[in-house]
Amino acid sequence: MNLLQQFNSDGVYTRYAVDEHPDDNGSFMHVHEQCEIYYFVSGDAEYLVEGARYPLKPGDILIMRPAESHRNKMLGGRKYERYVINFSLWVVDSIDPQRRLLKPFFDRPLGRENFYSSAEFGKIQPGAVFYDMCRNKEDDYGRRVKVLANLFKLLDGISSAYLKRGITEELSPRSLPEQIVAYVNAHLSEELSVPALAELFFLSPSQFSRVFKQATGAAPWEYITIKRLTAAREKIRSGFSAQDAGESCGFKDYSAFYRSYVKYFGCSPKEDKTPMP
């Protein structure tokens, strides 16, 4: 990946990146503690979000909330170009304490209604907004002002598009992969195993694992572990003891939870007390 421009300052991180010869093996499922807005410029790609599959064309936008798993999937070798901004919730709280601008991120099920086209933004041109946000040559103070001004412009455009859709809980039927991922998320704190999940969805264990990885970019147990760790970290940072957080998120053995936590986050649960923004 050629990271052409990036900016990281107090709760916001922007980047403009290009892969001249993209390789799908370099992409993997991940989650963030921040919200993300992704703008697709060019390439042959689709995006996987919590089992949902979003084909991409130039100018398309995706939004993800904290802990919402996602992965880009390369479908060809054409140059892959994109803009991304990640931002902490408290950045929005400073202007919008009621978080009305974040309704498109949170007032929907996981993996649903992540996609927006540039045509939905009216007079706002998202590509120009991202260009101004990510590729200006101001000093650090000027860049932060530009980033925040453009971030709120994007959030306002997304919010307006969301309200025009009139989204309700009556969404289109879920595909089988989406149903599987939704079930796993709803039962993360419970006992989960591939054989039991496969039986529930009338699949063999090997079929289940294949469907799950195709839908999320991760093997079932990898996905479950990452989701449980992310949920446990949020609880620890909100005041739970490490042991209570691990147990409440589905880890029955504290030593296994501890090892997984250190491996994934790079610190022990007890060391990780930084409050969530």
Side-chain angles (χ1 to χ4, degrees):
M1 177 179 70
N2 189 1
L3 188 59
L4 300 183
Q5 295 284 341
Q6 67 175 329
F7 178 70
N8 193 359
S9 171
D10 294 333
V12 292
Y13 173 51
T14 67
R15 60 194 179 279
Y16 165 60
V18 175
D19 288 284
E20 293 290 348
H21 305 287
D23 180 357
D24 192 56
N25 292 326
S27 178
F28 55 91
M29 186 212 88
H30 55 284
V31 299
H32 300 296
E33 295 178 352
Q34 299 176 311
C35 289
E36 178 172 314
I37 307 174
Y38 165 99
Y39 181 83
F40 180 68
V41 179
S42 67
D44 299 309
E46 61 184 12
Y47 229 75
L48 309 177
V49 185
E50 295 288 3
R53 189 178 298 272
Y54 294 102
L56 295 172
K57 61 181 185 299
D60 287 344
I61 291 168
L62 289 164
I63 64 172
M64 277 73 66
R65 66 172 178 256
E68 193 167 27
S69 74
H70 51 284
R71 177 194 190 269
N72 65 297
K73 182 175 178 59
M74 305 313 303
L75 304 176
R78 196 156 58 95
K79 181 172 78 172
Y80 173 46
E81 185 178 2
R82 68 278 192 196
Y83 292 104
V84 181
I85 178 167
N86 296 94
F87 60 93
S88 296
L89 302 184
W90 64 261
V91 173
V92 176
D93 290 344
S94 63
I95 300 296
D96 177 22
Q98 295 183 15
R99 296 186 176 177
R100 294 185 181 183
L101 290 173
L102 295 181
K103 285 183 177 293
F105 292 81
F106 290 94
D107 288 6
R108 57 176 177 78
L110 285 172
R112 309 303 300 271
E113 301 295 335
N114 299 85
F115 174 87
Y116 290 82
S117 69
S118 292
E120 294 181 86
F121 284 72
K123 294 181 179 180
I124 298 175
Q125 297 181 337
V129 173
F130 269 101
Y131 187 97
D132 190 43
M133 179 191 297
C134 297
R135 301 178 68 178
N136 68 77
K137 297 183 179 179
E138 304 268 358
D139 59 18
D140 285 348
Y141 178 84
R143 290 186 71 181
R144 181 170 176 81
V145 170
K146 284 274 192 184
V147 167
L148 291 177
N150 283 303
L151 170 61
F152 282 101
K153 187 182 294 185
L154 282 172
L155 290 175
D156 184 56
I158 292 168
S159 180
S160 296
Y162 172 83
L163 292 173
K164 286 178 183 177
R165 290 179 177 184
I167 294 174
T168 69
E169 289 299 316
E170 296 298 322
L171 299 171
S172 58
R174 290 182 183 269
S175 65
L176 177 60
E178 290 175 291
Q179 292 177 45
I180 291 172
V181 174
Y183 181 89
V184 168
N185 274 286
H187 297 84
L188 274 175
S189 62
E190 303 172 17
E191 195 73 38
L192 293 173
S193 71
V194 168
L197 289 167
E199 183 178 1
L200 182 66
F201 289 96
F202 306 102
L203 298 169
S204 71
S206 61
Q207 286 175 320
F208 179 89
S209 296
R210 184 169 61 253
V211 168
F212 196 96
K213 187 165 187 177
Q214 288 175 345
T216 65
W221 199 244
E222 178 188 5
Y223 175 95
I224 291 167
T225 300
I226 290 173
K227 281 304 198 83
R228 285 176 171 173
L229 288 171
T230 303
R233 188 183 215 189
E234 184 174 0
K235 289 194 172 189
I236 289 169
R237 290 180 166 185
S238 68
F240 279 65
S241 71
Q243 184 157 350
D244 287 346
E247 288 179 357
S248 66
C249 293
F251 292 95
K252 305 309 179 187
D253 180 80
Y254 182 75
S255 61
F257 166 62
Y258 182 93
R259 290 193 301 271
S260 295
Y261 200 100
V262 171
K263 182 178 180 180
Y264 189 69
F265 293 119
C267 63
S268 74
K270 291 182 179 178
E271 292 172 332
D272 199 3
K273 290 285 187 179
T274 305
M276 290 287 285

